[in-house]
Each structure stands twice: as C-alpha cells, then as structure tokens.
Amino acid sequence: MEFVHLLLRYLHLLGFAAVFGGWLVSLLSKKFDFNAAMLYGIATQLATGIVLYGIVAADGDANHAKLGVKFLLALMLGVMIAIPVWKKRAKVAAGHFYATGALIAVTAGVAVFWT
C-alpha cells in the first residue's frame, strides 16, 4: 500500500509540473493561451488528489480542512483551464491568464505551508 501511496503522490506532482510548466511556457512565449498539458495536468491532479485523500482518510490522518481547500482550488483551476481549452480559444484575457497563474501558486503554497 505504501508503494501505491508514493506512486499516486508522484503522479500528483507530475500533474502540477504539467500545469505550471504549461502556464510558464505560455507566459514566456507571450501567447496567453492554455494548452493540453495544462488540461491533462489538472485532470491528473484532481484524480490523484481524490484517491490520495481517500487513502489518507482511511488511515485517520487527514487534515480535512486543508484537503477541502485544496480540492476547491483544484476544481476552480480545472474550470478556469478546461473551458478555454474545450472552446478552442486561441487566447484568453490577460486577467484570466494571470489569475490562473496566481491560483496555481496559491494551490502549491497551501500544499507546502499548511501543515
């Protein structure tokens, strides 16, 4: 079971890397668009996060407030990323783009600093 937990955590981190990396590439190229890497990354994070929550809750060590906030933030990111990708928008508004980047940073901050 420990291997499954570590594998899910690894996949969760890869999902974060895809979301942040896709956003950073778009920022540096000044395209202000969302790409498939971001969409698949946030989907991976949501799926693995839910399973990880189930494993941690079964052990009785879950911080339900923190995990609830993380789920809400990830769900908001999923909506912010998925809708422009599904509608095939070539570009999103600058405010939407920067708000998504800020929400990515806040989500990572909650994961790291909230113990």
Side-chain angles (χ1 to χ4, degrees), residues 33-34 78-92 96:
D33 65 342
F34 296 145
V79 170
M80 291 174 75
I81 292 169
I83 290 176
V85 171
W86 289 340
K87 290 190 174 192
K88 296 180 179 17
R89 293 205 174 132
K91 194 173 190 178
V92 295
H96 184 154

Side-chain angles (χ1 to χ4, degrees), residues 3-40:
F3 175 74
V4 172
H5 185 248
L6 291 174
L7 180 65
L8 286 169
R9 194 181 324 172
Y10 177 70
L11 292 173
H12 195 70
L13 288 172
L14 287 179
F16 171 76
V19 172
F20 181 68
W23 184 84
L24 192 62
V25 165
S26 184
L27 174 71
L28 295 176
S29 67
K30 297 184 173 128
K31 288 185 180 178
F32 300 126
D33 65 342
F34 296 145
N35 50 50
M38 294 175 71
L39 181 64
Y40 295 138

Side-chain angles (χ1 to χ4, degrees), residues 64-112:
H64 299 289
K66 173 187 175 180
L67 295 172
V69 167
K70 278 191 47 85
F71 177 70
L72 179 64
L73 293 172
L75 197 58
M76 288 174 24
L77 269 173
V79 170
M80 291 174 75
I81 292 169
I83 290 176
V85 171
W86 289 340
K87 290 190 174 192
K88 296 180 179 17
R89 293 205 174 132
K91 194 173 190 178
V92 295
H96 184 154
F97 182 79
Y98 288 117
T100 303
L103 198 56
I104 293 168
V106 167
T107 303
V110 167
V112 171

